[in-house]
Amino acid sequence: MGVVSFDLDGTLWDFAPMMDGAIASAIASLERREPELAGRLTVAALHEQRRMTGLQHQGTLEELRRISLHRALIDLGRDDRQLAEWMADELLQARAEVVVLHDDVEPCVRRLIGDGHLVGAITNGNFPFDRLALAAHFSFVVHAEEAGGAKPGPEPFAEAVRLTGGDPAQWVHVGDELPLDVGGAHAYGMRAVWLNRYGEANDTEHLPDAEIPTLGELPGVVAGLLG
C-alpha cells in the first residue's frame, strides 16, 4: 500500500477564483449586517490590505487575515475588532462554500483509494478542508503552520509520515508548484508528480518523476511509480 498526498490550493482547485469569491461573499454579508458600509469595501481593497499587513506584521495566515480586516474597517472609520472577527469567520466559511473542485479530483481520489492507497493532503495554506465532503475520503490533512514549517521544508512532510506511518519510499506527492511540491517531496525522499494543468514551462532545477496535465492520469502514474 502506498500513500498519495495532494497539495490543495492550485492543485485541487484554482486559488484566485475561490479567494475572490469568498471575499466578495464576506463583503456581501457585512453589507447586510451593516448597511451603512455598503459599497465602501472592495475585493481589490481587501487583497491590498492583506498584502500590506503581511509586510508589517508577523503571525499565522489566519491571524494576518484578521488583522487586515480590522485595519480595513479602521480605514472606514469603524475601529471595531469584534466586527472584524465576525467578518473573518464569514470569510473562512465562504471559502468552503464557493470553492469549485476541478472535475477530475473526486474520480481520481476514488480510484486511488480503490487501488489500496492512503490519500491525504499537505498544504501551506489554511483552507478549511474539513468542511468539504471530499475530506471524508482523506486519511490526513497537514497544514504547514501547524507542523512547524512550510513546504519545501521537511516539517509538513515529516508530520504526514508521522500521522500515517507511511514509508517515504512508497509515497507520491502531487502538486502544482515545482519548488514547493516537487522539490520539497524529493528532499524528503518521496516521489513527486507535477500537475501542470496549464502547460507551463519548467524553468526550475526541479525534475518531477512525472508530469501530468490532469488528475485523470494520476492513478496510472502512481501504479507505475510505486509498482
Side-chain angles (χ1 to χ4, degrees), residues 21-225:
I23 292 173
S25 177
I27 290 172
S29 294
L30 176 69
E31 292 179 346
R32 287 192 294 271
R33 173 172 164 155
E34 308 288 337
E36 70 277 9
L37 296 179
R40 300 185 64 191
L41 279 179
T42 66
V43 172
L46 289 185
H47 275 309
E48 178 60 16
Q49 188 66 259
R50 172 62 182 83
R51 186 186 72 82
M52 293 300 297
T53 299
L55 295 175
Q56 299 166 1
H57 294 265
Q58 298 291 322
T60 67
L61 295 174
E62 187 59 24
E63 287 168 349
L64 293 174
R65 176 67 67 184
R66 289 171 185 268
I67 292 169
S68 73
L69 291 171
H70 184 213
R71 288 174 50 158
L73 290 174
I74 290 173
D75 286 348
L76 300 182
R78 290 286 300 272
D79 186 356
D80 189 334
R81 192 175 297 276
Q82 221 174 18
L83 183 59
E85 291 292 319
W86 173 85
M87 191 176 179
D89 291 339
E90 289 289 304
L91 175 55
L92 198 63
Q93 179 60 35
R95 293 172 71 180
E97 293 173 350
V98 307
V99 70
V100 178
L101 297 175
H102 288 294
D103 291 342
D104 53 12
V105 173
E106 294 188 32
C108 175
V109 169
R110 287 196 299 268
R111 172 73 183 279
L112 289 169
I113 293 172
D115 289 344
H117 302 298
L118 288 180
V119 173
I122 303 174
T123 176
N124 279 356
N126 66 333
F127 184 91
F129 187 73
D130 61 328
R131 302 186 188 189
L132 300 184
L134 181 68
H137 301 291
F138 278 51
S139 297
F140 62 94
V141 178
V142 174
H143 292 273
E145 287 183 334
E146 298 172 1
K151 297 181 292 183
E155 293 89 350
F157 297 101
E159 177 64 6
V161 169
R162 186 191 70 80
L163 288 172
T164 63
D167 179 357
Q170 291 295 308
W171 195 298
V172 176
H173 180 69
V174 186
D176 66 306
E177 296 197 50
L178 286 158
L180 300 186
D181 294 306
V182 174
H186 278 169
Y188 203 74
M190 300 172 174
R191 292 177 174 85
V193 173
W194 182 29
L195 179 60
N196 186 12
R197 291 189 183 276
Y198 303 110
E200 299 175 0
N202 183 354
D203 57 1
T204 76
E205 62 183 355
H206 303 289
L207 300 177
D209 295 286
E211 175 184 340
I212 56 176
T214 74
L215 291 178
E217 298 182 17
L218 184 63
V221 166
V222 169
L225 291 174

